[in-house]
Amino acid sequence: MDSGSGVGVLDKAAMVLGALEAGPLTLAQLVTATHLARPTAHRLAVALEHHRLVARDMQGRFVLGPRLTELASAAGEDRLLAAANPVLIALRDHTGESAQLYRRQGDQRICVAAAERAMGLRDSIPVGATLSMLAGSAAQILLAWEEPDRLHRGLHGAQFTATVLSAVRRRGWSQSVGEREAGVASISAPVRGPSGRVIAAVSISGPIERMGRQPGRQHAAAVVTAANRLTEVLKRTEGI
């Protein structure tokens, strides 16, 4: 067993987080799992909840909090961006449409990498552009696999519905036609971190007149393949 770091409160907090890795726990179950005194376990869990390292589920049980996901995403961002450009270029060349990589940041999504179509009519989204989480196929991807309470909050004011997101989860990709911007269609697929959580969305976008009203029929397979390539890169580099 780990002898500890010598900083008792951090060692106990790490025990709480380690116990929650296996899934939601009531306070009584947390005490059993950590062998901490009940007041100590409660005090630490509530303090960790204040810092969003721990949260509560719908039954009031303690679960790992969203801050851990944010930190993990930040740790993987450099690897993701390093791998993204060649994958997006290949996707653009294969489909003939502009390709982007989006990450969620609060109530918005940010284009963190892009490969623009060289000429002709195109949907130009520069790196660093901030877009809404209420419309567009990438927004659908970044919301579809969220925890139920966060998913339903994200649907308030959205151009898509829970039924649409259910279909996205089932088939593994999304499409939008004129949803974010009139005349523009897009297709997106999820990039997953080593834990399996969706951390980004790969997209292509272009004019409806070229992509059609069902753009997924033509391009979904290529977008999913590109997203899966990035997921595999993150799996291979885990622990390096």
Side-chain angles (χ1 to χ4, degrees):
M1 185 177 174
D2 189 348
S3 61
S5 67
V7 183
V9 67
L10 288 181
D11 292 337
K12 290 173 183 175
M15 288 172 62
V16 170
L17 294 174
L20 293 176
E21 186 178 2
L25 296 176
T26 64
L27 178 58
Q29 291 168 333
L30 188 60
V31 168
T32 300
T34 60
H35 304 292
L36 294 170
R38 186 182 180 94
T40 301
H42 182 260
R43 186 172 66 251
L44 286 171
V46 170
L48 290 166
E49 185 179 11
H50 175 77
H51 290 286
R52 300 173 64 243
L53 294 164
V54 164
R56 310 277 186 122
D57 68 6
M58 301 295 280
Q59 287 76 47
R61 298 174 298 180
F62 293 106
V63 296
L64 293 176
R67 183 63 183 143
L68 292 170
T69 300
E70 294 164 4
L71 292 170
S73 295
E77 187 161 355
D78 287 345
R79 295 196 302 274
L80 179 61
L81 293 182
N85 282 331
V87 170
L88 293 180
I89 289 169
L91 179 61
R92 176 200 64 193
D93 292 348
H94 179 78
T95 63
E97 302 296 346
S98 298
Q100 305 90 26
L101 179 70
Y102 294 98
R103 294 186 68 113
R104 182 171 184 174
Q105 190 172 88
D107 293 329
Q108 298 175 315
R109 54 186 168 104
I110 296 177
C111 179
V112 295
E116 291 289 350
R117 193 172 191 264
M119 61 184 68
L121 195 59
R122 63 185 186 270
D123 183 35
S124 183
I125 301 172
V127 172
T130 300
L131 281 73
S132 170
M133 278 292 295
L134 298 176
S137 63
Q140 294 175 25
I141 290 293
L142 294 171
L143 187 61
W145 283 272
E146 285 283 9
E147 298 88 352
D149 57 337
R150 194 174 187 195
L151 187 155
H152 288 296
R153 284 200 304 272
L155 284 170
H156 293 312
Q159 298 294 307
F160 44 81
T161 65
T163 302
V164 168
L165 296 188
S166 178
V168 168
R169 289 191 297 274
R170 186 172 62 249
R171 69 190 178 206
W173 54 270
S174 61
Q175 65 181 3
S176 68
V177 178
E179 188 176 282
R180 175 181 61 82
E181 184 178 339
V184 173
S186 68
I187 308 157
S188 299
V191 178
R192 297 179 182 274
S195 69
R197 186 177 179 85
V198 174
I199 63 168
V202 169
S203 304
I204 61 168
S205 57
I208 293 173
E209 63 188 57
R210 191 167 60 232
M211 295 184 70
R213 290 275 164 187
Q214 292 291 333
R217 290 178 180 172
Q218 186 176 357
H219 295 307
V223 177
V224 169
T225 296
N228 288 345
R229 283 180 62 190
L230 290 178
T231 296
E232 288 303 315
V233 167
L234 294 179
K235 284 182 181 177
R236 290 198 304 270
T237 56
E238 183 182 17
I240 289 179

